[in-house]
């Protein structure tokens, strides 16, 4: 574990690493956001397990990748937790029978939404604290995720009726959020 070193300039480390990789990250984020939006649309059109599973696993893998490649001081463990939960959710959706999946999936998805909401808001506040970028969109998408997570926790059985459509909307919103983030990326 690294301890905070007040003499070390963490902002310069983040800025240097960001400027070296931002074009690659921007290109990858744009491609992934388009894929997520398309999978979300396919989930709306064909509410079958396959598209939803693929979308959740891809999004989870990207979140784990983001956690691994971020500089130490700016790492957010919520990315890792959210990535693992999204992959778990996708695998459960693919392998479990429908009767078990509906109740389990609803609560697990509510937890994923809550974790994602907290992660986006803490990441936005961390970047805002260091005045790295404008983070209003992160706060907004984090709040939307938190509200949806609370709705799923409070009304699990009503949410279970529309879970495929909500996951489709989740993938589309995640894709749009990532696209906005990618478009606003620039050198620091």
């Amino acid at each position: 574990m690294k301890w905070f070193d007040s003499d070390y300039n963490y902002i310069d480390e983040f800025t240097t690493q960001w400027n070296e990789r931002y074009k690659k990250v921007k290109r990858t984020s744009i491609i992934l956001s388009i894929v997520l939006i398309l999978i979300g649309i396919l989930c709306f059109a064909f509410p079958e397990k396959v598209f939803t599973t693929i979308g959740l696993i891809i999004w989870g893998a990207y979140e784990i990748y983001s956690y691994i490649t971020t500089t130490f001081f700016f790492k957010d463990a919520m990315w890792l937790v959210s990535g693992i939960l999204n992959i778990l959710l996708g695998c459960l959706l693919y392998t479990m029978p429908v009767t078990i999946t509906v109740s389990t999936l609803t609560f697990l998805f509510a937890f994923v939404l809550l974790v994602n909401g907290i992660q986006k808001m803490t990441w936005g506040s961390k970047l805002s604290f260091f005045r790295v970028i404008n983070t209003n969109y992160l706060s907004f998408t984090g709040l939307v995720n938190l509200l949806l997570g609370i709705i799923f926790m409070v009304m699990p059985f009503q949410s279970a009726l529309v879970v495929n459509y909500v996951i489709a909307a989740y993938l589309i919103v995640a894709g749009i959020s990532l696209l906005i983030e990618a478009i606003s990326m620039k050198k620091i």
Side-chain angles (χ1 to χ4, degrees):
M1 179 176 168
K2 283 187 173 180
W3 296 99
F4 180 76
D5 181 8
S6 61
D7 295 329
Y8 187 76
N9 194 340
Y10 292 97
I11 298 172
D12 280 347
E13 177 192 7
F14 179 80
T15 304
T16 303
Q17 195 175 59
W18 176 261
N19 288 338
E20 290 173 357
R21 298 180 315 150
Y22 94 96
K23 285 184 180 179
K24 181 182 175 187
V25 171
K26 185 173 188 170
R27 185 175 46 252
T28 305
S29 297
I30 288 172
I31 291 169
L32 181 63
S33 66
I34 291 169
V35 168
L36 287 174
I37 292 168
L38 290 175
I39 290 174
I41 291 169
L42 288 172
C43 287
F44 268 122
F46 310 103
E48 299 168 6
K49 292 186 209 181
V50 176
F51 296 118
T52 309
T53 300
I54 292 169
L56 288 171
I57 290 173
I58 288 172
W59 183 241
Y62 179 75
E63 287 181 320
I64 292 172
Y65 173 77
S66 293
Y67 174 78
I68 292 169
T69 58
T70 303
T71 61
F72 176 78
F73 192 68
F74 286 92
K75 278 189 183 203
D76 191 353
M78 291 291 202
W79 275 337
L80 186 61
V81 171
S82 178
I84 291 170
L85 285 175
N86 276 322
I87 291 173
L88 178 67
L89 190 60
C91 292
L92 285 175
L93 187 63
Y94 184 71
T95 59
M96 292 180 76
V98 175
T99 54
I100 298 172
T101 303
V102 170
S103 60
T104 306
L105 187 69
T106 305
F107 284 109
L108 186 58
F109 189 62
F111 190 66
V112 166
L113 286 169
L114 291 171
V115 168
N116 276 341
I118 293 168
Q119 181 269 323
K120 285 186 182 297
M121 294 180 87
T122 57
W123 176 243
S125 67
K126 188 179 282 188
L127 289 177
S128 178
F129 178 77
F130 289 106
R131 293 176 180 87
V132 176
I133 57 173
N134 185 7
T135 58
N136 292 336
Y137 63 92
L138 285 172
S139 299
F140 176 73
T141 55
L143 185 63
V144 168
N145 281 340
L146 282 174
L147 290 174
L148 285 174
I150 291 169
I151 289 171
F152 265 58
M153 286 287 196
V154 173
M155 300 186 309
F157 299 111
Q158 293 83 352
S159 302
L161 298 174
V162 294
V163 73
N164 278 342
Y165 297 110
V166 172
I167 291 175
Y170 169 72
L171 291 172
I172 291 171
V173 168
I176 291 170
S177 172
L178 187 60
L179 185 63
I180 291 169
E181 190 175 323
I183 290 171
S184 66
M185 287 180 190
K186 59 184 181 253
K187 279 191 171 188
I188 301 174

